[in-house]
Amino acid sequence: MDATEWDTRYRLAREARAGEAGRLWSAVPAQIVQDTVSPFTPGRALDLAAGDGRNAIWLAGHGWTVTAVDFSAEAIGQAGAHAAEAGVAVDWQVGDATTWDPAGEGFDLITVVYLHLPEPGLRSVLARAAGWLSPGGHLVVLGHDRANLDTGAPGPTNPDILYTPELLRSSIDPASLGACRVVRCETVRRDLATDPEGPRDGAGATFALDTLLVVDA
């Protein structure tokens, strides 16, 4: 889907769910993201493919100085409204995660959550993001695992854009990224009753499978 299609999707979700704060996704990050990030010392954070802002807003509320980027202007507009409601400040930017550049800035944390692209594009985004980490920084990536197709859980159905631990791990090349090292890369289980990604459409699945990657600089 291109930016125009995502603009439409976010706008329709806002209109259809006016009584639920107009959110396409859940209002808070996946629990595994919260658990992974919470031990880190807050600093400068970048949320790539930020959507309507759940990760960026949570980070800002926990002491991080956050830049958030998404190519959907509608999503960024909604994110700004959600941030205002939460009483936090985020630097919201409309930009494509595959081409956006921080102009030499470094980050103590970069999150890439549920960004699903064909393999060459995803590899490029992750390699570039790892290169923007400040010394001691962290890259946290989470997305639907290819094995999720067998669970009946919501998520993309095209296997070509789904994650595997092997794909994410091999996207980080220590030889070209200096001190960067993969500290965690595995398939993780998400309980849909307590940790949904977003509104569900009556699916019978009780859990979903995601892939988590954590890289330290």
Side-chain angles (χ1 to χ4, degrees):
M1 296 172 70
D2 61 20
T4 301
E5 292 173 305
W6 276 108
D7 284 341
T8 300
R9 188 175 180 186
Y10 277 106
R11 184 176 64 254
L12 291 176
R14 171 172 51 82
E15 294 169 352
R17 300 191 175 98
E20 302 176 25
R23 291 186 181 274
L24 182 58
W25 314 114
S26 66
V28 295
Q31 190 63 48
I32 189 67
V33 173
Q34 298 182 46
D35 293 345
T36 300
V37 170
S38 290
F40 302 156
T41 301
R44 288 184 50 79
L46 170 66
D47 186 25
L48 276 179
D52 60 2
R54 58 176 173 165
N55 300 296
I57 291 168
W58 185 87
L59 289 169
H62 286 76
W64 294 85
T65 300
V66 186
T67 297
V69 180
D70 197 278
F71 71 172
S72 168
E74 174 68 25
I76 290 295
Q78 292 183 25
H82 297 323
E85 293 169 2
V88 299
V90 175
D91 177 15
W92 302 108
Q93 297 189 24
V94 177
D96 190 325
T98 64
T99 57
W100 183 85
D101 188 273
E105 293 188 62
F107 299 93
D108 303 299
L109 172 67
I110 299 175
T111 54
V112 182
V113 180
Y114 297 113
L115 173 63
H116 288 276
L117 300 169
E119 183 174 327
L122 180 65
R123 287 184 179 276
S124 175
V125 168
L126 298 187
R128 292 171 69 237
W132 300 335
L133 291 175
S134 298
H138 315 276
L139 170 64
V140 176
V141 183
L142 183 74
H144 298 287
D145 193 284
R146 197 169 292 165
N148 193 55
L149 292 173
D150 298 325
T151 68
T157 58
N158 178 0
D160 294 337
I161 62 170
L162 297 178
Y163 293 4
T164 66
E166 294 76 19
L167 169 61
L168 296 195
R169 183 181 293 275
S170 64
S171 297
I172 306 301
D173 180 9
S176 62
L177 294 175
C180 281
R181 62 189 181 92
V182 174
V183 296
R184 187 174 180 185
C185 188
E186 62 185 290
T187 300
V188 294
R189 179 175 170 135
R190 178 163 44 89
D191 184 342
L192 294 176
T194 59
D195 190 24
E197 180 190 356
R200 298 180 63 197
D201 298 317
T206 59
F207 69 93
L209 295 176
D210 293 337
T211 312
L212 174 70
L213 169 72
V214 182
V215 175
D216 285 356

